């Protein structure tokens, strides 16, 4: 039986297991999914993107290092990085403990959110995608 993963409604998901949430001010918060953090296990280091750097959809903007592996963190949307979660530098375990809350990685000012979002999955599609990964 496959493990249960938290996959909140209202977010957008990538095939590389990142998530994106559009905020009321138009910025997009991004992070890694519950599935990703469970696959990585104990996260020990997070390489954050540079503020004011340009993110390109599907391109790496940082990395997540666990006791098992180092994985790129890819941008779910294109745009300018406007904020990063510096708490992760001292507490990378926030990604394991609260991947959709305190464990967010960056905020991006999207350049074409509507154009990018059509290449992302909603919660239902991502649930099916994860189920296929399990088999």
């Amino acid at each position: 039986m496959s493990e249960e993963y938290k996959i909140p409604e209202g977010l957008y998901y990538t095939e590389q297991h990142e998530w994106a949430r559009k905020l009321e001010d138009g910025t997009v918060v991004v992070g890694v999914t519950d599935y990703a953090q469970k696959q990585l296990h104990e996260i020990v280091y997070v390489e954050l993107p540079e503020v004011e750097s340009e993110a390109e959809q599907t391109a790496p903007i940082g990395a997540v290092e666990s006791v098992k592996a180092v994985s790129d963190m890819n941008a779910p949307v294109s745009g300018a990085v406007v904020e990063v979660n510096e708490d992760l530098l001292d507490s990378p375990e926030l990604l394991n403990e609260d991947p959709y809350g305190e464990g967010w990685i960056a905020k991006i000012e999207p350049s074409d959110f509507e154009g990018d979002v059509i290449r992302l999955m909603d919660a239902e599609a991502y649930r099916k995608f994860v189920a296929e990964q399990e088999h």
Side-chain angles (χ1 to χ4, degrees):
M1 183 68 193
S2 70
E3 191 171 354
E4 281 297 312
Y5 300 101
K6 292 185 195 114
I7 301 175
E9 296 291 335
L11 304 183
Y12 299 96
Y13 299 90
T14 71
E15 290 186 358
Q16 294 77 36
H17 308 289
E18 292 93 16
W19 59 264
R21 176 190 304 125
K22 189 170 187 182
L23 301 178
E24 287 184 18
D25 67 2
T27 60
V28 176
V29 181
V30 301
V32 297
T33 65
D34 188 44
Y35 177 86
Q37 69 84 13
K38 284 181 176 160
Q39 297 302 308
L40 288 165
H41 295 288
E42 187 182 337
I43 294 170
V44 295
Y45 178 74
V46 179
E47 178 188 315
L48 297 170
E50 294 285 321
V51 172
E52 297 183 4
S53 65
E54 283 296 314
E56 187 177 325
Q57 187 178 38
T58 72
I61 57 169
V64 178
E65 185 175 333
S66 71
V67 292
K68 284 178 63 178
V70 177
S71 298
D72 282 339
M73 163 69 190
N74 299 306
V77 296
S78 298
V81 176
V82 294
E83 189 179 340
V84 295
N85 186 356
E86 294 189 356
D87 292 345
L88 295 176
L89 298 175
D90 293 326
S91 304
E93 68 277 1
L94 288 172
L95 279 178
N96 293 120
E97 295 165 3
D98 190 9
Y100 300 109
E102 296 295 314
W104 64 277
I105 291 182
K107 290 183 183 171
I108 296 173
E109 182 73 49
S111 52
D112 181 16
F113 183 77
E114 298 308 318
D116 287 344
V117 80
I118 59 174
R119 292 186 283 279
L120 301 175
M121 292 176 273
D122 64 11
E124 183 180 342
Y126 184 66
R127 270 188 212 99
K128 291 177 184 164
F129 180 76
V130 167
E132 290 167 11
Q133 301 290 302
E134 293 285 288
H135 294 99

